[in-house]
Amino acid sequence: MQGLWVTELQTPSLALSCRVIKTLHRERTPYQELAVVETEAFGRMLLLDDVIQTTVKDEFVYHEMISHVPLNTHPHPRQVLVIGGGDGGAIREVIKHTEVERAVLVEIDARVVANAREYLPEISCGLDDARVEIRFEDGIEHVRRLRDQYDVIIVDSTDPVGPAVGLFSREFYQNVYHALKADGLFVAQTESPFFNAAFIRRVQRDIASVFPVTRLYLATVPTYPGGLWTFSLGSKKYDPVEVDPQTIAPLPTRYYSPEVHKAAFALPPFVQEILRPGEEEELF
Ligand code: SPD
């Protein structure tokens, strides 16, 4: 192999490598090692602690699916909270919904936002919208204080290691439940069905112990381990599977559509298997 490559060790026995055209920035923030590199295959790429978070080429899949599925499930998504997501991709999608009055971004690491603004303008471009408020706080602590405030909460976190572990706990889901209004709902990114099956099973069980409606859905994100990615949704009232595609207003999207909304909940048998109760095994 020639030249500079960036490699994410996605599991102890699997790596994804991309040829790097240029390293644009590297720094140690108070929370993590941050890098922005220009790659041949995926354009600009943000890495945190050597884990790919987002790339200009494939980010739209993840950000559209973590945002439009919950926002089109809630009939009136006016107050929206995004936890994590400092690159701004989820916020960019959230503010496409004209009914959104306020979109609060709670990101622990101010340097993620600063670097996204500087190096990833296509992704961070919604952060200056008048409806957006940015707070540099720990999302776990932030949610603990809230009661009855949000219609939709989106947990756009890093992988469940280090400080993010608490974002995947039953206690956090209970706090999210209280932070939501009486008909609110939330969604979280929940890793790979190929490599994190036991983790997904545990998360789904915990969400189901708090929320009356619990769903898992899928999207294809080429730079994430295995390429197939899961999102877990907990809802007090509305079921994303019951949404009538004809009621979904058209938005400028490249992956999400009313048909994809429906199809994302059609789980292959091996993913359905994950949702059946079984042996617990901690993978992280
Ligand atoms: N394996 C990496 C998963 C990262 C998920 N969150 C990415 C944040 C993009 N806004």
Side-chain angles (χ1 to χ4, degrees):
M1 287 195 287
Q2 287 200 326
L4 192 59
W5 289 68
V6 64
T7 296
E8 176 188 340
L9 198 57
Q10 296 193 322
T11 78
S13 52
L14 174 75
L16 177 69
S17 291
C18 299
R19 193 193 294 276
V20 171
I21 298 167
K22 194 174 178 189
T23 300
L24 298 165
H25 186 72
R26 280 195 84 96
E27 71 175 90
R28 175 87 217 159
T29 79
Y31 299 96
Q32 53 212 337
E33 188 71 32
L34 182 154
V36 185
V37 296
E38 178 87 41
T39 68
E40 252 176 50
F42 290 104
R44 291 189 177 190
M45 173 185 279
L46 170 70
L47 298 107
L48 296 175
D49 289 334
D50 298 321
V51 175
I52 299 167
Q53 298 302 313
T54 198
T55 80
V56 164
K57 189 154 184 181
D58 72 350
E59 58 86 15
F60 66 98
V61 179
Y62 175 91
H63 291 129
E64 290 179 12
M65 291 300 280
I66 204 169
S67 305
H68 301 307
V69 171
L71 268 79
N72 281 328
T73 297
H74 197 292
H76 301 294
R78 295 184 177 123
Q79 303 286 325
V80 179
L81 171 64
V82 177
I83 295 175
D87 52 63
I91 284 286
R92 182 197 62 205
E93 296 306 312
V94 165
I95 60 171
K96 287 180 181 172
H97 291 253
T98 51
E99 209 168 344
V100 170
E101 294 166 353
R102 182 168 164 255
V104 179
L105 177 74
V106 173
E107 162 64 58
I108 198 167
D109 193 342
R111 298 302 302 154
V112 175
V113 174
N115 280 289
R117 284 186 191 280
E118 180 157 0
Y119 297 105
L120 304 169
E122 314 84 338
I123 301 176
S124 61
C125 54
L127 292 174
D128 293 322
D129 187 276
R131 294 168 290 167
V132 175
E133 282 172 41
I134 304 176
R135 299 185 185 188
F136 296 114
E137 284 176 50
D138 180 352
I140 299 170
E141 290 308 314
H142 181 81
V143 162
R144 218 188 286 281
R145 305 191 291 268
L146 302 175
R147 290 291 173 273
D148 206 20
Q149 283 216 359
Y150 289 100
D151 300 305
V152 175
I153 296 178
I154 295 171
V155 187
D156 178 10
S157 73
T158 50
D159 293 328
V161 284
V165 166
L167 294 169
F168 298 88
S169 68
R170 187 172 183 280
E171 184 195 351
F172 175 71
Y173 301 140
Q174 278 174 318
N175 291 330
V176 166
Y177 184 94
H178 295 306
L180 288 165
K181 293 186 190 166
D183 60 352
L185 58 99
F186 96 103
V187 69
Q189 74 84 6
T190 47
E191 307 288 310
S192 158
F194 286 104
F195 301 118
N196 312 111
F199 168 79
I200 295 167
R201 176 179 288 163
R202 199 265 297 156
V203 163
Q204 284 275 311
R205 183 203 62 201
D206 286 350
I207 295 174
S209 73
V210 176
F211 287 86
V213 180
T214 305
R215 295 286 182 189
L216 187 76
Y217 64 96
L218 298 169
T220 302
V221 186
T223 52
Y224 289 173
L228 189 64
W229 209 244
T230 69
F231 300 86
S232 291
L233 186 147
S235 174
K236 292 186 177 183
K237 183 172 178 186
Y238 308 112
D239 187 341
V241 171
E242 299 300 323
V243 173
D244 176 357
Q246 294 195 317
T247 65
I248 296 178
L251 286 173
T253 52
R254 295 171 63 212
Y255 187 92
Y256 180 85
S257 70
E259 294 75 21
V260 167
H261 180 117
K262 263 276 183 264
F265 292 90
L267 304 177
F270 89 96
V271 181
Q272 289 178 26
E273 174 69 21
I274 295 171
L275 301 183
R276 281 190 214 114
E279 285 290 302
E280 292 297 321
E281 179 194 333
E282 284 305 323
L283 296 183
F284 286 96

